Amino acid sequence: MTYNVTIRIQDADFDVSSEIAALTASRTDIGAVVTFSGICRGSEGSGDATTALTLEHYPGMAEAEIARHADEAMNRWPLTGLTIVHRVGRILPGENIMVVLTASAHRQAAFQAAEFLMDYLKAHAPFWKREETAGGSSWIAAKTDDDDAAARWDKN
Amino acid sequence: MTYNVTIRIQDADFDVSSEIAALTASRTDIGAVVTFSGICRGSEGSGDATTALTLEHYPGMAEAEIARHADEAMNRWPLTGLTIVHRVGRILPGENIMVVLTASAHRQAAFQAAEFLMDYLKAHAPFWKREETAGGSSWIAAKTDDDDAAARWDKN
Amino acid sequence: MKVVYFAWVRERIGKAEETVEPPAAVRTVGDLIGWLSTRGDEYAYAFETPKVIRAAIDHTHVRPDTVIAGAREIAFFPPMTGG
Amino acid sequence: MKVVYFAWVRERIGKAEETVEPPAAVRTVGDLIGWLSTRGDEYAYAFETPKVIRAAIDHTHVRPDTVIAGAREIAFFPPMTGG
């Protein structure tokens, strides 16, 4: 059994179908692929329309943190592989921010691993979003919800 | 607020990126899209290699059941829309069987609705799979796991 | 009353649909399964384990004790394996 | 010791990285935040609410009581908002 683990941090957009094809290429032991696409919304709830987000990351640490969580997901669930692509730079409303893909023989593992990876990415991966509106720009505040979501996967 | 609910039962394959694009077109209130792709495996665990699956459905009832579950998902979670495409006919290992997409402002609703729809489709949507192997063909037995998975969404 | 069959129920009976006129004593879905089972070996074979047979009336899942009066189309099929 | 800053911590301090040589009494991440805060108004502003500041040593998240001895690179940044 081989495993396909792909992690990329990039300015460029990505194509979900191409990522699915890469993750499932030339194997027939995959029955389930879950994808989560994070998309730039036109409002962060502050009232003002978002004209763009700019994503900053900590090069080196971001890759290391994501890889560590990817390894944990591969160990906790019977996955055949996973892909994480996270964009950085300036992103407009409606554009992709990031995608997580998980592949497994069965759906439960794929769903759980995708949720786990998303919760950890939101709370622990060193990325920061700055929001531009007509009135200026400001850093988006972290949500305590995201810490709570990540904590539910902690082992006792 | 408008909702995009699309349900199709078809012989033809589909493209996940195109389905995401259709579900998110010209709106900027979506922050999360979850997709679940069900893919034909090369073995159903019987030991013999699967050469193909043939999917049969109950025309009319399949659409009605899926629409009923789609409505329930739209009512239970704050979704902006969802898409369900289920193929019928002969499908080879590695090919798509079906896809569910859910879109929402936030990830939790999208994940939960996608899992709900998959559990219901597995247990209640009137589709049946026949497996071909080198030794002949036979109908795939339902899993009691799937009934249990669907039951967890029942309201008390 | 139109009756339709799917998957191995259809294959065992050898037809996808038919119109039947059960006697008035056949009131429920379970009664109809019992009555159909008497119509020949192929029906007896299809319905040999009634508890695995699923039924729908006019495209809605029903239980064996559901009354069939007023039904336009009754379907019998194995547990579903979609998704 | 290399120190790097991200997001509004970087903006408030006005630089992305620097090399610092704190005195020996600065043993932990928390000590380092306290010492950096004394280096000027821009540092005091960046670290004005120490409990929201997150830190990493050599690319691994650490707590305020983590000892900094041996660190090659220490990072300070706000709570993360990726995904």
Side-chain angles (χ1 to χ4, degrees):
Chain A
M1 173 86 83
T2 58
Y3 303 101
N4 299 323
V5 174
T6 301
I7 296 165
R8 300 200 310 274
I9 297 174
Q10 63 188 37
D11 290 328
D13 196 10
F14 49 80
D15 176 68
V16 175
S17 290
S18 303
E19 300 299 337
I20 294 175
L23 190 58
T24 58
S26 60
R27 55 195 306 164
T28 57
D29 54 347
I30 297 172
V33 174
V34 168
T35 78
F36 176 89
S37 306
I39 299 169
C40 179
R41 282 180 286 135
S43 166
E44 284 292 324
S46 62
D48 288 340
T50 303
T51 49
L53 293 180
T54 300
L55 275 103
E56 174 175 334
H57 77 304
Y58 183 176
M61 180 170 172
E63 292 82 350
E65 269 289 299
I66 294 175
R68 198 165 60 79
H69 295 142
D71 285 348
E72 186 169 348
M74 294 299 297
N75 287 330
R76 283 176 82 155
W77 289 281
L79 304 176
T80 61
L82 62 86
T83 299
I84 297 170
V85 184
H86 204 305
R87 294 180 68 193
V88 289
R90 194 159 182 272
I91 295 174
L92 302 180
E95 290 186 354
N96 289 316
I97 297 172
M98 49 78 61
V99 69
V100 164
L101 296 90
T102 53
S104 179
H106 300 289
R107 72 188 184 283
Q108 290 86 353
F111 270 123
Q112 288 182 27
E115 287 197 65
F116 163 84
L117 288 167
M118 282 310 306
D119 286 346
Y120 265 82
L121 286 170
K122 287 269 181 189
H124 296 293
F127 291 83
W128 299 273
K129 292 191 185 99
R130 190 179 175 92
E131 180 190 17
E132 294 171 35
T133 66
S137 78
S138 58
W139 294 94
I140 291 179
K143 293 180 192 161
T144 54
D145 282 1
D146 287 332
D147 286 335
D148 295 344
R152 73 187 162 122
W153 302 100
D154 290 346
K155 292 170 180 165
N156 295 320
Chain B
M1 173 85 84
T2 58
Y3 303 100
N4 298 324
V5 175
T6 301
I7 296 165
R8 303 200 309 274
I9 297 173
Q10 62 189 37
D11 290 328
D13 196 8
F14 49 80
D15 175 68
V16 174
S17 290
S18 304
E19 300 300 338
I20 293 175
L23 190 58
T24 58
S26 60
R27 56 193 307 164
T28 58
D29 54 347
I30 298 172
V33 174
V34 168
T35 79
F36 176 90
S37 305
I39 299 170
C40 179
R41 281 180 287 136
S43 166
E44 284 293 324
S46 61
D48 289 340
T50 304
T51 50
L53 292 179
T54 299
L55 274 103
E56 174 174 335
H57 76 302
Y58 181 175
M61 180 171 172
E63 291 83 350
E65 269 290 300
I66 294 174
R68 197 164 62 80
H69 295 143
D71 286 347
E72 186 169 349
M74 294 299 297
N75 287 330
R76 282 176 84 156
W77 289 279
L79 304 177
T80 61
L82 62 86
T83 299
I84 298 170
V85 185
H86 204 305
R87 294 179 67 192
V88 290
R90 195 159 181 272
I91 294 174
L92 302 179
E95 290 186 353
N96 289 316
I97 297 172
M98 49 77 61
V99 69
V100 164
L101 296 91
T102 54
S104 179
H106 299 289
R107 72 187 185 284
Q108 289 86 354
F111 270 122
Q112 287 181 29
E115 287 197 65
F116 163 84
L117 287 167
M118 280 311 306
D119 287 344
Y120 265 83
L121 285 170
K122 287 269 182 189
H124 295 292
F127 291 83
W128 300 273
K129 292 192 185 100
R130 190 180 176 94
E131 180 190 17
E132 294 172 35
T133 66
S137 78
S138 58
W139 294 93
I140 290 179
K143 293 180 191 160
T144 53
D145 283 359
D146 287 331
D147 286 335
D148 295 343
R152 74 187 160 122
W153 301 100
D154 290 346
K155 291 170 183 166
N156 295 319
Chain C
M1 177 178 298
K2 184 179 176 186
V3 185
V4 296
Y5 309 113
F6 294 95
W8 54 253
V9 176
R10 172 178 52 73
E11 288 186 340
R12 289 181 181 189
I13 291 173
K15 60 183 84 166
E17 60 176 82
E18 63 185 316
T19 299
V20 298
E21 299 192 15
V26 173
R27 292 188 60 252
T28 67
V29 169
D31 293 344
L32 182 58
I33 289 176
W35 179 74
L36 287 166
S37 298
T38 65
R39 301 184 81 217
D41 288 348
E42 67 277 27
Y43 290 91
Y45 179 40
F47 295 115
E48 67 183 352
T49 312
K51 76 180 167 65
V52 305
I53 300 292
R54 306 297 173 93
I57 293 182
D58 298 337
H59 296 169
T60 299
H61 292 292
V62 294
R63 294 174 180 281
D65 60 359
T66 302
V67 171
I68 61 176
R72 281 177 288 111
E73 180 172 296
I74 302 186
F76 293 105
F77 43 77
M80 291 139 284
T81 55
Chain D
M1 176 180 296
K2 183 179 177 188
V3 186
V4 297
Y5 309 112
F6 293 96
W8 54 254
V9 176
R10 173 178 52 73
E11 288 185 340
R12 290 182 180 189
I13 291 174
K15 59 183 86 166
E17 61 176 79
E18 63 185 316
T19 299
V20 298
E21 298 193 16
V26 173
R27 292 187 60 250
T28 67
V29 168
D31 293 343
L32 182 58
I33 289 175
W35 179 75
L36 287 167
S37 299
T38 66
R39 302 185 82 218
D41 287 349
E42 66 276 29
Y43 291 92
Y45 179 40
F47 294 116
E48 67 182 353
T49 312
K51 74 178 168 63
V52 305
I53 300 293
R54 307 297 173 93
I57 293 181
D58 298 338
H59 296 168
T60 299
H61 291 292
V62 293
R63 294 174 180 281
D65 60 358
T66 303
V67 171
I68 62 175
R72 282 178 287 112
E73 180 173 297
I74 303 189
F76 294 105
F77 42 77
M80 292 139 282
T81 55

